[in-house]
Amino acid sequence: MSLLLPKASGESLTLGIMGGTFDPIHIGHLVTAEEARQQFKLDHVIFIPAGTPPHKDEKTISSAEHRYLMSMLAVVDNPYFTVSRLEIESKHPSYTVDTVRRFFEIYQEKLNLYFITGADAILDITTWKDYKELLEACSFIAASRPGYSFSKLKIILGPAFPHIIKKVHLLEIPAMAISSTYIRRRIAEGKTIKYLTPEPVEQYIYKNRLYIR
Ligand code: NAP
């Protein structure tokens, strides 16, 4: 796997996988990852930009390379954060279960894995490839925006899938009031995005003329 990971050793490792499209990465994602790291005592958080998200039209999102480079620029000042090319280098759609399998191939039984993503993405988890295996393999941290109710997840998934609710931890992140959609829209409208994403990411977006209609 071409990524800078803490070395597999005899010690058990608790990792967070931060899965998302990151088009672009923003302050809400970074606050989510840092909060998850602290609350769940994660040794490391690995951001994995999705290569070809299974549920999205490739033509409507920025190239994987742009999304990877913006993620790199965003995490550079945090020693606990890394970005992986695992999914963007894959020729296949980015199924989370394949990513998780790859991590267990490397770390085997010494690994505790948390998959961190948006609560809305997790609402659809029963449509994901081999979701039952995924639920066996890791726990989930569902980041929500202010006002998002955990009862939505419970109502939609709870009755049919009580085992899912047990493995999902909800993290309310005020900074998730920012969204990638909001940033893209502001750029298209010629509005400032200052302080919504780290400055190097902002500069990268302008330099590469991303999100301009
Ligand atoms: P999305 O549908 O673009 O996002 C859904 C919501 O979650 C959005 O509000 C989004 O906000 C938020 N979000 C996404 N990633 C986040 C993160 N890491 N932390 C906090 N909030 C986050 O979802 P996506 O980004 O394409 O997919 C999320 C992850 O689920 C990816 O790793 C993807 O590969 C995985 N997934 C797997 C399958 C499968 O295996 N079959 C299917 C679907 C998704 P922003 O737009 O602001 O990010």
Side-chain angles (χ1 to χ4, degrees), residues 18-21 26 29 55-56 96 117-118 128 145 176 179-180:
M18 184 75 174
T21 307
H26 54 69
H29 297 129
H55 56 305
K56 283 191 179 166
T96 301
T117 195
W128 294 15
R145 304 200 146 85
M176 278 303 295
S179 72
S180 300

Side-chain angles (χ1 to χ4, degrees), residues 191-207:
K191 292 180 177 161
T192 175
I193 57 162
K194 206 164 188 58
Y195 309 124
L196 300 178
T197 188
E199 197 183 347
V201 177
E202 183 192 350
Q203 296 306 329
Y204 184 95
I205 290 170
Y206 292 141
K207 185 171 180 184

Side-chain angles (χ1 to χ4, degrees), residues 2 6 8 16 48 73 80 84 89 138 174 203 206 210:
S2 56
I48 307 197
L73 289 170
Y80 298 103
S84 160
E89 282 181 353
C138 61
Q203 296 306 329
Y206 292 141
L210 302 183

Side-chain angles (χ1 to χ4, degrees), residues 43-173:
D43 293 309
H44 214 84
V45 179
I46 299 150
F47 287 67
I48 307 197
T52 311
H55 56 305
K56 283 191 179 166
D57 177 359
E58 220 179 322
K59 293 187 202 97
T60 63
I61 57 173
S62 304
S63 74
E65 208 59 46
H66 278 321
R67 292 180 291 105
Y68 168 76
L69 288 172
M70 287 190 281
S71 302
M72 283 292 282
L73 289 170
V75 307
V76 78
D77 61 352
N78 190 322
Y80 298 103
F81 291 177
T82 309
V83 185
S84 160
R85 296 181 64 86
L86 178 67
E87 292 192 1
I88 70 162
E89 282 181 353
S90 169
K91 291 182 183 65
H92 308 290
S94 306
Y95 293 115
T96 301
V97 72
D98 296 331
T99 301
V100 165
R101 281 177 189 147
R102 192 74 190 93
F103 274 81
F104 276 98
E105 275 169 27
I106 297 171
Y107 290 101
Q108 298 171 357
E109 73 280 0
K110 294 172 208 129
L111 183 62
N112 300 317
L113 212 53
Y114 287 83
F115 188 78
I116 312 163
T117 195
D120 278 339
I122 288 180
L123 268 181
D124 294 330
I125 199 166
T126 57
T127 65
W128 294 15
K129 181 184 166 196
D130 297 336
Y131 78 92
K132 286 185 181 158
E133 180 187 333
L134 197 54
L135 284 163
E136 285 298 317
C138 61
S139 298
F140 289 81
I141 299 175
S144 72
R145 304 200 146 85
Y148 188 95
S149 162
F150 194 38
S151 59
K152 193 170 163 189
L153 267 172
K154 276 193 182 149
I155 290 164
I156 295 177
L157 294 176
F161 308 101
H163 51 297
I164 293 182
I165 294 303
K166 277 188 214 139
K167 298 210 82 173
V168 177
H169 309 274
L170 194 81
L171 210 56
E172 189 179 290
I173 303 292

